[in-house]
Amino acid sequence: MSEVNSVGAGGEGAPTPDPDENRRQVLYWRLLARLFDPEEQASLESASVAVVEDIGLPVALLDPGASVDSVVQRHPDLAAEFDGLMLPEPDADGACDRAAEVRRAALASKVLLNVFATGSGTVTAEQLARWQSDAGWLERALGCRPGDLRGGRGRGSGAGGGVSPTGTGVGSPTPDLSRLIPEIGPELGAVEAGLVQRMHLREVLADPALASRLTPSMSLIEQLLRDKNNLSGVALANAKALIRRYVDEVTEVLRTQVEKATVGELDRSVPPKRVFRNLDLDRTIWKNLTNWDPEGERLYVDRLYYRHTSRKTTPQRLIVVVDQSGSMVDSMVNCTILASIFAGLPKVDVHLIAYDTQALDLTPWAHDPFETLLRTQLGGGTDGTVAMALAQPKIAEPRNTVVVWISDFYEWRTDELFESMAAIHRSGAKFIPVGSVTSSGRGSVNPWFREKFKDLGTPVISGHIKKLVHELKSFLT
């Protein structure tokens, strides 16, 4: 370790170098060198091997060809260390355990390098699957579930290039990246999209064995939806199977969010259903206390009491208008699924419209997001007035109607479109403008429209889907 320990050594009177600090610097310098230049730096590699061996970690952590999965399979005890790895907690006295920080640096370097050093050239199904797995480990390191950060893709560059561990510094502790999560999620989506674009996707889909190795994600679904008209036979069947898997997974998550959202008030005019799960045991005991037999130590129950579970509902019409231009693909996927969930609620009449420069009424398939997505045509320009022409006639009873308009609002005929939206608001219908509907909540909105909606009293909802779920559920039930 003489090479490592000599780093930063000064002359006579200089502070004694901290060996752990030097080890950590070596690991981070290697990370930066590898991110920006795939060529191996011999001195950094040999020094890093010495560091990893010295702290008792497997040298496989330094192998660019080894996935995190493969390392963890050989060394299962490391799995727990990756969880929350980039959310380090200081000791009780606020100090940093420098030896532990060296260990964190080695593990963090592995997952960051595997995710952001994607190389160049054609990507195979196995390589994409490996990257998705490694990205899942990065999400776990950031305290998220695998797939959560990639749920919504923001605009960004494609694969390739690197990421600088901002705030890390080669001489600072392993960083707490939790504040960067809103930015990391879309960037992960952008890297994944670049990998998907580098695949020979049609050839992969034509081979059932290769297609089975693909894990559906927003980036992959976007590419499948864009290319679906060019697929046929086995390739088309495999593409539909992947879309169906992704739709089912997201549907389960969104349905849970809808069920947890605020609902209407209890309707006490409806007698409670007399089933065991509704039995109000505390109230039953309290109301029957006069029947207590102290000698026999028994409580005789004359009457059972049940909880009210029925809630007040009125027939409502939900009109969802979604911009299906290229910048809004994640919103298109999420909103078709969300519309299908609300279509399953009692007394909710759901209408779904998608548009770019033309509008398409998808209402007949609103209950089935899979069929809806197969009928979309992603890409093109944006002209909301064509969608408005379909939406306005559907507003029969404004007081019982909510119109959700999901777009980045970069429109062609801005004044005309906004005036028709303001007219809907003035009619008594509830108008909800939404910037985008993604898991990350990141999205760009035309500032002109944002200010106009704010002045109208209907500010644009943040793109996080949970906020839209809450807003809709409280209005519709």
Side-chain angles (χ1 to χ4, degrees):
M1 289 299 296
S2 58
E3 180 179 0
V4 176
N5 289 334
S6 65
V7 175
E12 186 178 352
T16 303
D18 183 339
D20 287 329
E21 177 67 18
N22 288 341
R23 292 185 179 102
R24 192 152 43 83
Q25 285 189 27
V26 166
L27 293 172
Y28 279 138
W29 279 120
R30 175 185 178 272
L31 169 63
L32 290 171
R34 281 279 192 169
L35 283 172
F36 293 104
D37 185 354
E39 292 297 322
E40 181 179 293
Q41 302 294 321
S43 59
L44 284 174
E45 292 297 323
S46 60
S48 297
V49 168
V51 169
V52 168
E53 289 180 335
D54 197 42
I55 61 178
L57 285 173
V59 178
L61 284 173
L62 302 177
D63 180 3
S67 67
V68 178
D69 267 343
S70 66
V71 174
V72 170
Q73 284 171 4
R74 297 175 199 166
H75 308 275
D77 53 311
L78 292 180
E81 291 192 59
F82 278 106
D83 287 331
L85 173 69
M86 296 179 185
L87 307 174
E89 297 180 2
D91 294 341
D93 60 0
C96 228
D97 184 340
R98 293 191 177 277
E101 285 300 316
V102 177
R103 194 174 181 89
R104 288 181 190 271
L107 296 172
S109 295
K110 175 59 178 173
V111 71
L112 288 171
L113 200 57
N114 277 26
V115 170
F116 291 104
T118 57
S120 59
T122 303
V123 173
T124 66
E126 291 89 344
Q127 288 172 326
L128 178 63
R130 173 193 141 166
W131 183 91
Q132 290 173 327
S133 173
D134 287 336
W137 282 104
L138 175 58
E139 289 166 316
R140 288 175 61 168
L142 291 167
C144 303
R145 293 177 303 177
D148 277 1
L149 294 184
R150 286 168 286 151
R153 176 188 163 205
R155 295 169 181 161
S157 59
V163 59
S164 173
T166 305
T168 303
V170 294
S172 61
T174 302
D176 179 351
L177 297 178
S178 58
R179 62 186 178 84
L180 298 178
I181 285 178
E183 286 73 33
I184 292 175
E187 292 308 318
L188 282 177
V191 174
E192 184 175 29
L195 292 171
V196 171
Q197 290 171 5
R198 286 160 51 191
M199 289 182 66
H200 291 199
L201 188 55
R202 295 180 193 176
E203 296 176 12
V204 172
L205 292 172
D207 186 332
L210 293 177
S212 66
R213 297 187 181 126
L214 295 176
T215 300
S217 63
M218 182 62 72
S219 298
L220 182 58
I221 296 308
E222 175 181 355
Q223 194 66 28
L224 293 175
L225 291 175
R226 291 185 187 280
D227 205 32
K228 65 181 185 297
N229 292 332
N230 298 316
L231 302 175
S232 61
V234 174
L236 181 59
N238 286 329
K240 287 184 176 181
L242 286 165
I243 295 172
R244 173 69 77 180
R245 278 176 57 194
Y246 187 76
V247 165
D248 290 345
E249 290 171 6
V250 177
T251 298
E252 189 60 34
V253 173
L254 294 184
R255 183 177 287 115
T256 300
Q257 293 179 3
V258 170
E259 290 171 352
K260 290 181 178 180
T262 302
V263 295
E265 296 180 358
L266 290 173
D267 187 353
R268 300 192 179 276
S269 65
V270 178
K273 199 169 185 179
R274 296 176 178 272
V275 294
F276 179 76
R277 69 174 178 271
N278 291 341
L279 179 63
D280 190 337
L281 192 58
D282 290 341
R283 190 175 178 217
T284 297
I285 293 174
W286 177 257
K287 290 289 188 179
N288 288 280
L289 280 179
T290 54
N291 300 327
W292 171 254
D293 177 10
E295 293 182 2
E297 295 185 347
R298 291 176 179 272
L299 177 66
Y300 295 92
V301 177
D302 291 335
R303 179 181 174 187
L304 296 174
Y305 291 84
Y306 297 86
R307 298 184 184 90
H308 286 79
T309 55
S310 296
R311 299 186 181 273
K312 295 180 179 179
T313 61
T314 55
Q316 304 282 8
R317 174 164 291 188
L318 169 62
I319 302 172
V320 180
V321 183
V322 190
D323 176 354
Q324 66 171 352
S325 62
S327 61
M328 299 295 292
V329 61
D330 47 355
S331 293
M332 187 72 228
V333 173
N334 280 285
C335 284
T336 55
I337 295 172
L338 193 59
S340 73
I341 294 171
F342 279 104
L345 296 178
K347 299 183 179 179
V348 178
D349 180 24
V350 175
H351 294 255
L352 179 61
I353 298 170
Y355 76 97
D356 41 38
T357 55
Q358 296 180 327
L360 181 63
D361 191 344
L362 297 169
T363 301
W365 304 278
H367 65 285
D368 189 339
F370 173 72
E371 291 296 332
T372 300
L373 288 172
L374 292 183
R375 286 168 170 77
T376 58
Q377 297 293 333
L378 301 177
T382 309
D383 184 1
T385 60
V386 296
M388 184 61 73
L390 286 179
Q392 282 179 322
K394 295 178 179 291
I395 306 175
E397 299 179 25
R399 296 288 175 185
N400 287 331
T401 302
V402 56
V403 178
V404 178
W405 198 292
I406 300 112
S407 175
D408 53 13
F409 298 99
Y410 285 94
E411 293 282 345
W412 178 34
R413 293 182 275 193
T414 55
D415 292 301
E416 181 181 346
L417 179 59
F418 177 76
E419 182 51 41
S420 57
M421 292 173 170
I424 291 177
H425 174 68
R426 290 192 296 267
S427 72
K430 185 173 181 63
F431 185 82
I432 305 176
V434 183
S436 65
V437 182
T438 68
S439 299
S440 68
R442 176 174 168 177
S444 173
V445 177
N446 185 334
W448 186 88
F449 268 95
R450 186 184 289 279
E451 288 303 314
K452 285 288 187 179
F453 285 133
K454 185 177 179 181
D455 294 340
L456 189 63
T458 58
V460 176
I461 287 181
S462 166
H464 206 294
I465 196 165
K466 290 183 179 179
K467 292 187 178 181
L468 179 58
V469 168
H470 178 86
E471 189 81 12
L472 289 177
K473 192 70 184 289
S474 60
F475 181 82
L476 294 171
T477 59

